[in-house]
Amino acid sequence: MLTSVAGVWTRRIPIGTADGLSALGFALIATGRSGEGAVHVAVNAAVAAYFAYHWWNGRDGGGGPRRRLRDSVRRFAATRRTAPTSG
């Protein structure tokens, strides 16, 4: 999480990447603190879900990974890669 804050502050990584890094960091913290009680895990999991949501949907109105994946699927053209069967 500190990496994402420092990256955004120095303008070396975009906000979307920082959201993804923060989601990963909070998920790891929630996993690591699982023995300390349900409240710690619930708070860290909720914050991880918040950042994962913003990473997936993008904060700039649709520029997230979901749109990029959808665009790459549209460009995909299926081709037959098996040998033709002869009758």
Side-chain angles (χ1 to χ4, degrees):
M1 294 174 311
L2 184 58
T3 304
S4 63
V5 171
V8 169
W9 188 59
T10 59
R11 297 182 183 174
R12 295 192 183 257
I13 61 173
I15 296 288
T17 304
D19 287 339
L21 288 172
S22 296
L24 181 63
F26 276 110
L28 291 174
I29 288 172
T31 304
R33 296 184 83 174
S34 61
E36 295 181 22
V39 174
H40 295 293
V41 175
V43 168
N44 286 309
V47 174
Y50 172 79
F51 281 117
Y53 174 82
H54 282 291
W55 170 76
W56 182 250
N57 290 313
R59 290 183 184 238
D60 58 353
R66 182 175 59 180
R67 181 189 53 81
R68 290 191 297 275
L69 285 172
R70 195 178 318 133
D71 289 344
S72 66
V73 168
R74 285 186 196 135
R75 289 189 301 256
F76 177 74
T79 58
R80 183 175 177 163
R81 300 200 183 268
T82 59
T85 57
S86 58

